């Protein structure tokens, strides 16, 4: 069984920074693409950033230049450094990953971590 656990969310003032982490645990052979999604109240879940196993990254236009996605393959952990936060960045941030176990590749979601940007 594989679990993804996010951490690092919280309340921050506009212009501030937060660093989110997503740790994968369980019987893992390797992890392919990992990504961060977010869901604001009353809105659909949207892709924020994605990183491949080789480190190639891509970002939503709304966060490009402010957010940085990274990963530590040895620790099966992904990060999202969020700078210059805006109120519209508020939402629940979810970790997503394509995980290869011994038997197959499956897509997993974390439980989410709340980010609130407010003065």
């Amino acid at each position: 069984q594989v679990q993804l656990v996010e951490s690092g969310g919280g309340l921050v003032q506009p212009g501030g920074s937060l660093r989110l982490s997503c740790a994968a645990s369980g019987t893992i052979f390797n992890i392919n693409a990992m990504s961060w999604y977010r869901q604001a109240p009353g809105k659909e879940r949207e892709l924020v950033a994605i990183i491949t196993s080789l480190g190639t990254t891509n970002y939503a236009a709304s966060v490009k230049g402010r957010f940085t996605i990274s990963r530590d393959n040895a620790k099966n952990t992904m990060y999202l450094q969020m700078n210059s936060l805006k109120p519209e960045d508020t939402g629940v941030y979810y970790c997503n990953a394509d995980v290869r176990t011994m038997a197959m590749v499956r897509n997993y979601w974390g439980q989410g971590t709340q980010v609130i940007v407010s003065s």
Side-chain angles (χ1 to χ4, degrees), residues 22-50:
C22 170
S25 63
T27 306
I28 298 171
F29 185 71
N30 62 25
I31 303 176
N32 298 330
M34 302 184 78
S35 52
W36 288 99
Y37 285 75
R38 68 185 179 191
Q39 187 165 20
K43 294 189 176 181
E44 293 187 353
R45 192 173 297 189
E46 62 174 354
L47 177 65
V48 174
I50 186 168

Side-chain angles (χ1 to χ4, degrees), residues 45-116:
R45 192 173 297 189
E46 62 174 354
L47 177 65
V48 174
I50 186 168
I51 184 167
T52 70
S53 58
L54 297 180
T56 301
T57 60
N58 203 1
Y59 298 90
S62 60
V63 307
K64 195 172 293 186
R66 299 187 298 120
F67 290 10
T68 301
I69 189 172
S70 61
R71 63 191 285 173
D72 184 334
N73 291 332
K75 296 181 179 180
N76 289 331
T77 300
M78 173 179 64
Y79 307 96
L80 186 68
Q81 178 66 43
M82 305 186 294
N83 299 329
S84 303
L85 282 161
K86 305 175 181 180
E88 51 263 43
D89 294 318
T90 294
V92 179
Y93 283 68
Y94 297 92
C95 170
N96 180 272
D98 290 328
V99 180
R100 177 181 293 278
T101 64
M102 294 302 293
M104 65 183 72
V105 177
R106 284 186 59 184
N107 186 260
Y108 292 88
W109 288 94
Q111 82 290 348
T113 185
Q114 178 77 53
V115 172
I116 300 174

